[in-house]
Amino acid sequence: MWFPLFINLENKKVLVIGGGKVALKKIKKVLEYGADVTVVTDNIKEQSILELKNLKIEDNKKIENNKDEIEKLVKDFFLVISATDDEQLNENIAQVCDSKEILINNASSKTKMNAMFGGIVKNSEFQIAISTSGKNCKRSRAMKSEIQKVLDKIEK
Ligand SMILES: C[C@@]1(CC(=O)O)c2cc3[nH]c(cc4nc(cc5[nH]c(cc(n2)[C@H]1CCC(=O)O)[C@@](C)(CC(=O)O)[C@@H]5CCC(=O)O)C(CC(=O)O)=C4CCC(=O)O)c(CCC(=O)O)c3CC(=O)O
Ligand SMILES: NC(=O)C1=CN([C@@H]2O[C@H](COP(=O)(O)OP(=O)(O)OC[C@H]3O[C@@H](n4cnc5c(N)ncnc54)[C@H](O)[C@@H]3O)[C@@H](O)[C@H]2O)C=CC1
C-alpha cells in the first residue's frame, strides 16, 4: 500500500534512465528538490535537458536488458527513475532496484515500482502531495487546481 512519506532529496544521488519528455519532467522536479542527478540514455531526445544546470549526463549509452548490467548501473543510487520507452526494460530495472532496497520510480507502469511521484501543490507554508495510487494520475490535475484555491484562500 502507498504510504505518503516526505523524503529529503537534498544531495541524494538520483539516476534518471532515458532522455525523453518524461525524463525531462522528472529531472526538473527532482532538481527543484536539490537532488544530485545523473542521466543515462542512448539518445537525448529532449534537447532542453542539455540546458539544465547541475546535471551529469552520460549520452549514447544503451542499457542492455540484463540483470547484472542493471545491478552495476543502479547500485550506488538512492533513487532510480526509469523513464525509457521500453516497458520491459523499465520493469526489469524496477525489479532489480526493489530487490536491492533502492527507491525506484517506473514511468511506464501504474504499479510496478516502490516509489511514485505525486501531484504537488505548495506555497511558502504548505506542501500537499496528491496520489491516486496509480489508478488515474491524470485526475490529479483537477484536484491540484481545487487545492490551489484553498491555499490561495488561507494565505490571505
Ligand atoms: C503511476 C505513476 C508513476 C510515476 O510516474 O510516478 C504514473 C504513471 C503514468 N502516467 C502516465 C501519463 C501521464 N501522467 C501525467 C501526469 C502526472 N503523472 C503523475 C504521476 C504518476 N504517473 C504516478 C501515479 C500517481 C497517482 O496515481 O496519482 C503526476 C501526479 C506527477 C508527475 O508526473 O510528476 C502527474 C499529475 C499531473 C501534474 O502533477 O501535473 C500526464 C500529463 C497530464 O495529466 O497532464 C500523462 C499523460 C501524458 C500524455 O498523454 O502525453 C502514464 C502513461 C499512460 C499512457 O500512456 O496513457 C503512466 C504509466 C501507466 O499509466 O501505465
Ligand atoms: N509517468 C508519467 O508521468 C508518464 C509516463 N509516460 C510513459 O513513459 C515512457 C517514456 O515516455 P517518453 O519520455 O515520452 O518517451 P521518449 O521516447 O520520448 O523517450 C524515451 C527515452 O528513453 C531512451 N531509451 C530507450 N531505451 C533505452 C535503453 N535501452 N538504454 C538507454 N536509454 C534508452 C531513449 O533514447 C529516449 O531518450 C513511455 O512508456 C510513456 O508511455 C508517458 C507520459 C507521462
Side-chain angles (χ1 to χ4, degrees):
M1 285 166 76
W2 296 97
F3 179 65
L5 181 69
F6 287 82
I7 293 176
N8 186 355
L9 274 189
E10 192 88 50
N11 298 322
K12 286 283 192 291
K13 287 177 65 130
V14 174
L15 173 66
V16 179
I17 305 173
K21 146 171 109 26
V22 176
L24 171 66
K25 166 173 92 164
K26 291 182 176 260
I27 292 165
K28 281 191 188 154
K29 189 54 69 184
V30 294
L31 280 176
E32 208 184 297
Y33 285 78
D36 172 4
V37 182
T38 302
V39 180
V40 174
T41 183
D42 64 353
N43 172 25
I44 298 276
K45 278 178 83 174
E46 284 291 330
Q47 294 305 305
S48 49
I49 291 177
L50 298 169
E51 287 152 26
L52 296 170
K53 294 202 173 65
N54 302 320
L55 198 63
K56 294 165 209 132
I57 301 177
E58 218 179 308
D59 198 359
N60 301 314
K61 186 172 159 90
K62 185 174 165 61
I63 310 302
E64 296 306 325
N65 198 351
N66 164 290
K67 192 169 176 264
D68 292 340
E69 197 181 319
I70 296 170
E71 259 184 43
K72 265 191 242 154
L73 177 73
V74 301
K75 73 177 170 38
D76 292 325
F77 289 90
F78 176 76
L79 166 66
V80 174
I81 298 168
S82 198
T84 77
D85 54 344
D86 179 341
E87 208 175 306
Q88 195 56 55
L89 174 62
N90 290 343
E91 195 175 322
N92 289 344
I93 293 169
Q95 267 174 19
V96 169
C97 290
D98 193 49
S99 74
K100 299 275 166 207
E101 312 286 358
I102 295 167
L103 290 174
I104 171 71
N105 176 251
N106 175 357
S108 60
S109 170
K110 294 183 199 310
T111 50
K112 292 168 184 164
M113 69 202 87
N114 60 28
M116 274 182 198
F117 279 46
I120 302 170
V121 187
K122 60 183 176 180
N123 67 7
S124 55
E125 189 179 13
F126 295 103
Q127 167 159 251
I128 296 157
I130 301 156
S131 169
T132 69
S133 301
K135 289 188 193 76
N136 193 353
C137 62
K138 295 176 200 171
R139 290 273 298 144
S140 287
R141 278 274 159 102
M143 182 59 84
K144 274 173 73 171
S145 52
E146 286 307 307
I147 292 174
Q148 188 64 57
K149 288 182 203 157
V150 175
L151 278 191
D152 293 347
K153 205 160 109 190
I154 62 171
E155 202 163 31
K156 284 171 197 151

